[in-house]
């Protein structure tokens, strides 16, 4: 049902730029698309929940939202400036949560942030940087009014679960590349560009782990602490998000280890190939040393050299050199040097 709200004064009008969606819900069903200046009046209606999504809003829009829900100034300041560490803070009866998002852009992990304000009858999300729109979360929740009717803490769970789920496509893409590198280095020496790529992947994975690590503590507090905005029935859902985050951490650690092993294996393969080349060179040098030594001896300008006057001396010497070279070649082949 649509309940008419009081007219908004010109002073309360704000630009719609940065507003992704703003709706009022009753029993899990959207009853109206609202303006920011109407949010407090809709929130005050019994059984109503206001859900607002913002994307990189300016300070004027954040100030308007702050006025509607009486948000803390420090939380608004954090929401206006990105690059916050994942955290959860309580301001009176309201919660302020920061979560890091990630997307794979041109082979590199790009990070963004989502700031979430949760209070009695409202939830506001503020997205910055690389982040998937939460339209899919809104549509999924609206398709199941019974679940959405649980209230703002269920919306908070749905958003956090969506953020953690979006780490998986990033890891899957990196995992495929890691497997390709692992197979390649077992039979080839990686190039300088590939070594740089290995380093970039390990560094990005470390940054991703550092970005999502604090989210475990956020979910733990939502799961265990006596927060007024989280009902006991919702705590098992936040426990599921915590388990999911830890699983992501394990996958990151596993891939970082694989990349480290791939680099070490590449070094070992390179050293093995260098050793094999060195053995071949040493073998051929030893074989060539025999005719070189004999030719050097008989090439000296002396008149009285043994066997110099033999009729078949040339053929005897050439035969002995050939036998010596063949003997050395057979020996080196047998030990695997050639």
């Amino acid at each position: 049902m649509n309940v008419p709200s009081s007219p908004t004064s010109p002073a309360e009008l704000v630009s719609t730029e940065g507003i992704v969606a703003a709706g009022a819900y009753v029993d899990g069903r959207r009853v109206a698309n609202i303006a920011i200046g109407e949010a407090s009046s809709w929130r005050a209606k019994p059984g109503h929940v206001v859900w607002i999504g913002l994307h990189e809003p300016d300070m004027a829009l954040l100030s308007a939202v702050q006025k509607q829900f009486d948000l803390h100034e420090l939380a608004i300041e954090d929401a206006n400036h990105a690059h916050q560490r994942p955290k959860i803070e309580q301001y009176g009866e309201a919660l302020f949560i920061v979560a890091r998002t990630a997307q794979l852009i041109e082979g590199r992990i790009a990070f963004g942030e989502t700031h979430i304000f949760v209070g009695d009858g409202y939830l506001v999300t503020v997205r910055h940087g690389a982040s998937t729109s939460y339209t899919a979360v809104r549509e999924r929740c609206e398709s199941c009014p019974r679940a959405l009717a649980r209230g703002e803490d269920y919306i908070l769970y749905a958003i956090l679960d969506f953020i953690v789920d979006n780490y998986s496509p990033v890891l899957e893409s990196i995992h495929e590349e890691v497997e390709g590198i692992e197979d390649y280095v077992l039979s080839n020496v990686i190039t300088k560009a590939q070594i740089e790529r290995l380093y970039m992947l390990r560094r990005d994975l470390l940054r991703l782990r550092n970005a999502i690590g604090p989210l475990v503590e956020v979910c733990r507090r939502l799961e265990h602490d006596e927060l007024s905005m989280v009902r006991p029935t919702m705590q098992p859902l936040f426990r599921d998000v915590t388990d999911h985050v830890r699983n992501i951490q394990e996958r990151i650690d596993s891939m970082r280890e694989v990349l480290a092993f791939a680099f070490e294996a590449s070094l070992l393969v390179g050293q093995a190939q260098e050793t094999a080349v060195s053995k071949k060179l040493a073998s051929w040098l030893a074989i060539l040393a025999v005719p070189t030594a004999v030719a050097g001896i008989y090439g000296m300008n002396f008149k009285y050299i043994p066997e110099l006057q033999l009729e078949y001396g040339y053929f005897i010497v050439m035969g002995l050199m050939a036998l010596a070279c063949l003997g050395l070649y057979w020996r080196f082949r047998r030990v695997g040097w050639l």
Side-chain angles (χ1 to χ4, degrees):
M1 61 179 179
N2 291 318
V3 181
S5 60
S6 59
T8 305
S9 64
E12 294 176 328
L13 293 174
V14 294
S15 172
T16 58
E17 185 178 357
I19 302 175
V20 178
Y25 296 82
V26 176
D27 295 329
R29 301 183 185 278
R30 187 189 301 201
V31 295
N33 294 320
I34 64 174
I36 297 299
E38 304 171 336
S40 60
S41 60
W42 279 98
R43 172 210 175 189
K45 300 178 187 297
H48 284 63
V49 175
V50 173
W51 183 359
I52 297 176
L54 307 178
H55 180 245
E56 298 185 352
D58 56 22
M59 192 59 196
L61 180 54
L62 284 175
S63 297
V65 173
Q66 178 187 14
K67 180 180 178 181
Q68 292 297 311
F69 301 115
D70 193 24
L71 303 177
H72 199 278
E73 292 182 359
L74 292 178
I76 290 296
E77 183 179 349
D78 286 346
N80 188 45
H81 300 89
H83 311 294
Q84 299 292 324
R85 187 175 183 271
K87 62 182 179 179
I88 178 171
E89 295 178 347
Q90 186 170 5
Y91 296 99
E93 297 298 319
L95 293 178
F96 175 65
I97 298 170
V98 179
R100 300 294 300 275
T101 57
Q103 286 184 314
L104 199 64
I105 300 178
E106 297 181 354
R108 297 295 305 277
I109 300 179
F111 294 93
E113 291 180 23
T114 294
H115 301 186
I116 308 172
F117 299 89
V118 188
D120 184 19
Y122 70 89
L123 183 138
V124 180
T125 60
V126 182
R127 291 191 294 119
H128 291 278
S131 173
T132 304
S133 173
Y134 299 141
T135 301
V137 180
R138 189 181 295 268
E139 291 175 350
R140 187 173 62 198
C141 290
E142 290 179 351
S143 67
C144 186
R146 183 177 178 181
L148 184 55
R150 297 182 182 183
E152 53 277 353
D153 51 354
Y154 179 81
I155 301 174
L156 173 61
Y157 154 74
I159 291 173
L160 290 178
D161 187 58
F162 182 76
I163 290 173
V164 176
D165 282 342
N166 278 341
Y167 295 142
S168 294
V170 175
L171 292 180
E172 290 295 336
S173 298
I174 295 179
H175 182 68
E176 292 179 2
E177 185 173 358
V178 168
E179 284 189 333
I181 293 175
E182 187 180 19
D183 293 338
Y184 179 85
V185 300
L186 293 177
S187 56
N188 301 276
V189 179
I190 58 177
T191 63
K192 179 181 178 182
Q194 290 171 322
I195 292 176
E196 292 176 353
R197 181 59 180 164
L198 278 174
Y199 175 76
M200 288 290 186
L201 287 174
R202 291 203 72 203
R203 187 174 66 174
D204 282 352
L205 287 173
L206 179 60
R207 291 175 60 205
L208 180 60
R209 195 186 193 287
N210 292 337
I212 70 174
L215 198 56
V216 174
E217 177 62 19
V218 172
C219 294
R220 190 203 64 79
R221 286 195 59 189
L222 292 170
E223 174 189 346
H224 294 292
D225 288 5
E226 298 297 330
L227 300 174
S228 59
M229 295 310 305
V230 180
R231 292 163 297 168
T233 55
M234 289 297 301
Q235 291 177 350
L237 296 180
F238 288 111
R239 185 182 306 121
D240 180 69
V241 178
T242 304
D243 293 340
H244 197 173
V245 174
R246 286 174 175 158
N247 179 262
I248 294 293
Q249 287 180 317
E250 292 175 358
R251 292 177 61 187
I252 292 174
D253 291 340
S254 176
M255 280 190 282
R256 292 191 74 246
E257 288 182 5
V258 170
L259 287 172
F261 292 152
F263 183 73
E264 292 175 2
S266 174
L267 292 179
L268 293 175
V269 170
Q271 291 174 356
Q273 291 184 347
E274 290 177 359
T275 301
V277 171
S278 299
K279 289 179 177 180
K280 288 182 179 180
L281 290 176
S283 301
W284 285 114
L285 286 174
I287 293 172
L288 292 175
V290 174
T292 301
V294 175
I297 292 172
Y298 280 90
M300 293 186 296
N301 192 20
F302 290 103
K303 181 177 181 181
Y304 300 103
I305 296 179
E307 296 86 24
L308 191 62
Q309 303 300 323
L310 288 178
E311 182 179 357
Y312 299 104
Y314 172 79
F315 299 103
I316 293 173
V317 170
M318 293 297 294
L320 291 174
M321 286 194 298
L323 288 174
C325 290
L326 288 174
L328 288 173
Y329 180 81
W330 172 81
R331 178 61 180 172
F332 289 134
R333 288 280 294 182
R334 185 176 181 182
V335 298
W337 284 36
L338 289 176

